[in-house]
Amino acid sequence: MALLGVTACSQPPKEAFYQSGIMYCSESNPVNFNPQLDTSSTTSDASSHQIYDRLLDFDADSGRIIPSLASSWKVSDDGLTYTFQLRRNVQFHETDYFTPTRNFNADDVIFSLNRWRLPDHPFHQISGGRYPYFESLGLAENIKQVKRINGYRIEISLAQRDSSFLANLATDFSVILSAEYAESLMQEAAPQRLDHFPIGTGPYKFESYRKDHNIRYQSHPQHWKAKPQVERLIYDITPKSSLRLAKLITGECDAIAFPAQTELDIIREREELELAEKPGLNIGFWAFNTQRPPFDDPDVRRALAYAIDKNTLLEAVYFDSATRARSLLPAASWAYQADAEDTAYNPVIARELLAEAGIEPGFTMTIWAMPIERAYNPNAAKMAELIQRYLGDVGINVNIVTYDWTTFRKHLREGLHDSVLIGWSADNGDPDNFYRPLLSCGAIPSGTNRAMWCNKNYDALINEALQTEDLTRRKAIYQRVNSLLFKELPIVPIAHAFRYQAYRKELQGMQINPYGGIRFGGVTKKL
């Protein structure tokens, strides 16, 4: 608060940029500038909707799938063949490092899809060869062929019906790259530049990036939707939430990432600021590494779940900005089960289960806590401290572990954790977007399955749910999935958090994107 007071009373003179460009205070560095390669929202926020477009998109208000680079599509009666008509006269970015000689066409779609789905593709291994979102879905294995009908029509054939397929093509990760740019980089023997010096068709084109400082973009005047009315966009990388808020108040930033729960009332009280709010399509949870004893024992996991009071965690960490999670799905999902079974705070049962499992008092375990704020968990460190106390009451010693975000995620993928406080924000409105990436066997190598849990019955059920378009039947299957998860408890669902977007009133057109990263296309700044 002292920082806010000092900063608010000493506003710097506004440069010309602050009058016309948009300054966004982001919370961290992106891993790269290609969302195909990373599921972190930091990477998605920096690139997915600024630099790129997708074949399809989501309407932010209704959640409906709408045209984007594909102007129309049709699906065969058996649900195995998808034909897309592509939009014409869509221009790629022209930058100081690439000048396109043609517009977007079918070759770019084929290149973009084949890069992540075909191991022998010349760009597949570039930048590490991991495509975590697609790997977690097993999507590459289900696509039999991507066929060019003509320059502006493609056909995608599936091996098995997948009722979530169109939704997956509209996610942040399904971006369309420039095949011409990739070919030019290969000729220059610099293919890795594709993911760090990006070329897309989105409303903004990449200009520069200084780690821990900023990302600069220029408007793409030939964008197929409409020329952005704002010439410049800058991401000011500001890890501390209090400093982001101070910059918002002084006008150094027009919008900020992840305002802290304790800051929301400050934002609401200031006339020059807006705070948008929506129920979140997300889940914050406590995941156990089921490949490490004794966390491979469901009774041990159940004991730990009974040892904590989720209501207290909600009050202390989320205040009034989240609802208690009974399962993976939030109430906004059409498959939400209001009467799903849930664990309750009962330390007596916890001690009994631990004793029956042979866990002696004084057993020590780790809880990994994210070093950054996320909508699904705004303060993982505080939550870890609360859980530490609860587990101490049942004879469990807890060491809290954290690293910088990049190292944290790397070691999680390596399975070095006993348990972790983390979560997931939906990339589309289909329930499969929660169930498959978070807990399927195929999601373990991708790194999105933080419990490293593999259950063949679970996989069979979520696969069965994709074989029908009947929502009633699918919902019944997901209820069976919820029962299985309650029995096994690879993760403890904790909260579904509201999403917030704080910005200055000069910005027009800002809205929360329920299905992924922030969007600045169409946002204007009133002078």
Side-chain angles (χ1 to χ4, degrees), residues 231-361:
E231 292 296 324
R232 302 286 297 278
L233 171 65
I234 292 184
Y235 279 35
D236 183 338
I237 299 169
T238 310
K240 291 190 66 174
S241 177
S242 59
L243 186 54
R244 293 199 296 272
L245 177 57
K247 290 182 176 181
L248 182 68
I249 290 173
T250 62
E252 293 175 75
C253 285
D254 300 297
I256 61 174
F258 303 110
Q261 304 302 317
T262 53
E263 299 167 350
L264 299 181
D265 285 341
I266 298 173
I267 297 169
R268 291 187 181 104
E269 291 169 0
R270 299 193 69 96
E271 292 184 0
E272 74 275 23
L273 304 183
E274 291 280 1
L275 184 68
E277 175 182 339
K278 276 189 177 181
L281 283 168
N282 57 47
I283 173 70
F285 55 82
W286 183 23
F288 305 109
N289 185 345
T290 61
Q291 295 188 7
R292 280 193 164 196
F295 310 104
D296 57 342
D297 183 346
D299 286 336
V300 172
R301 302 195 294 264
R302 185 170 301 279
L304 298 175
Y306 275 117
I308 66 170
D309 184 349
K310 292 204 289 189
N311 287 337
T312 298
L313 298 182
L314 285 173
E315 292 171 5
V317 175
Y318 298 89
F319 301 94
D320 296 321
S321 63
T323 58
R324 178 174 174 138
R326 305 177 67 90
S327 67
L328 294 184
L329 297 182
S333 171
W334 57 261
Y336 174 70
Q337 183 183 354
D339 61 350
E341 297 173 281
D342 191 13
T343 55
Y345 176 50
N346 194 323
V348 175
I349 292 180
R351 291 189 194 97
E352 291 175 353
L353 288 171
L354 288 170
E356 291 171 4
I359 306 299
E360 300 288 340

Side-chain angles (χ1 to χ4, degrees), residues 83-383:
T83 305
F84 297 90
Q85 183 65 41
L86 305 182
R87 195 174 300 276
R88 294 175 181 267
N89 302 316
V90 175
Q91 298 187 35
F92 281 101
H93 300 157
E94 180 177 345
T95 68
D96 59 4
Y97 53 86
F98 178 69
T99 300
T101 64
R102 64 165 177 81
N103 289 343
F104 157 80
N105 64 28
D107 295 335
D108 303 301
V109 179
I110 294 170
F111 170 82
S112 301
L113 271 62
N114 284 349
R115 181 193 176 176
W116 55 258
R117 79 179 192 90
L118 299 179
D120 60 351
H121 189 277
F123 271 83
H124 185 82
Q125 296 301 328
I126 303 301
S127 300
R130 303 305 302 265
Y131 303 87
Y133 181 75
F134 304 110
E135 291 170 8
S136 72
L137 300 175
L139 203 55
E141 292 78 5
N142 197 34
I143 296 178
K144 291 173 58 177
Q145 185 182 36
V146 181
K147 181 180 177 182
R148 186 184 197 273
I149 305 301
N150 59 45
Y152 290 93
R153 182 174 295 178
I154 65 161
E155 181 180 278
I156 302 177
S157 303
L158 304 184
Q160 296 184 14
R161 193 183 190 109
D162 180 353
S163 55
S164 67
F165 183 64
L166 288 176
N168 287 322
L169 291 184
T171 62
D172 287 0
F173 314 104
S174 299
V175 295
I176 301 301
L177 313 173
S178 166
E180 182 187 22
Y181 177 48
E183 182 180 354
S184 70
L185 291 176
M186 192 64 80
Q187 292 174 354
E188 296 169 10
Q192 69 283 353
R193 289 175 62 88
L194 182 70
D195 304 313
H196 299 277
F197 292 86
I199 294 293
T201 60
Y204 287 93
K205 54 186 179 181
F206 177 81
E207 181 180 323
S208 66
Y209 167 51
R210 290 181 62 205
K211 186 177 180 181
D212 298 325
H213 288 85
N214 57 57
I215 311 168
R216 294 177 176 269
Y217 309 84
Q218 295 179 353
S219 67
H220 176 36
Q222 291 81 31
H223 190 233
W224 60 273
K225 284 186 178 179
K227 177 184 176 181
Q229 296 183 30
V230 177
E231 292 296 324
R232 302 286 297 278
L233 171 65
I234 292 184
Y235 279 35
D236 183 338
I237 299 169
T238 310
K240 291 190 66 174
S241 177
S242 59
L243 186 54
R244 293 199 296 272
L245 177 57
K247 290 182 176 181
L248 182 68
I249 290 173
T250 62
E252 293 175 75
C253 285
D254 300 297
I256 61 174
F258 303 110
Q261 304 302 317
T262 53
E263 299 167 350
L264 299 181
D265 285 341
I266 298 173
I267 297 169
R268 291 187 181 104
E269 291 169 0
R270 299 193 69 96
E271 292 184 0
E272 74 275 23
L273 304 183
E274 291 280 1
L275 184 68
E277 175 182 339
K278 276 189 177 181
L281 283 168
N282 57 47
I283 173 70
F285 55 82
W286 183 23
F288 305 109
N289 185 345
T290 61
Q291 295 188 7
R292 280 193 164 196
F295 310 104
D296 57 342
D297 183 346
D299 286 336
V300 172
R301 302 195 294 264
R302 185 170 301 279
L304 298 175
Y306 275 117
I308 66 170
D309 184 349
K310 292 204 289 189
N311 287 337
T312 298
L313 298 182
L314 285 173
E315 292 171 5
V317 175
Y318 298 89
F319 301 94
D320 296 321
S321 63
T323 58
R324 178 174 174 138
R326 305 177 67 90
S327 67
L328 294 184
L329 297 182
S333 171
W334 57 261
Y336 174 70
Q337 183 183 354
D339 61 350
E341 297 173 281
D342 191 13
T343 55
Y345 176 50
N346 194 323
V348 175
I349 292 180
R351 291 189 194 97
E352 291 175 353
L353 288 171
L354 288 170
E356 291 171 4
I359 306 299
E360 300 288 340
F363 173 77
T364 300
M365 63 177 288
T366 61
I367 296 178
W368 287 34
M370 295 186 303
I372 60 175
E373 302 100 343
R374 282 289 180 260
Y376 51 71
N377 192 331
N379 195 335
K382 184 174 184 178
M383 184 179 289

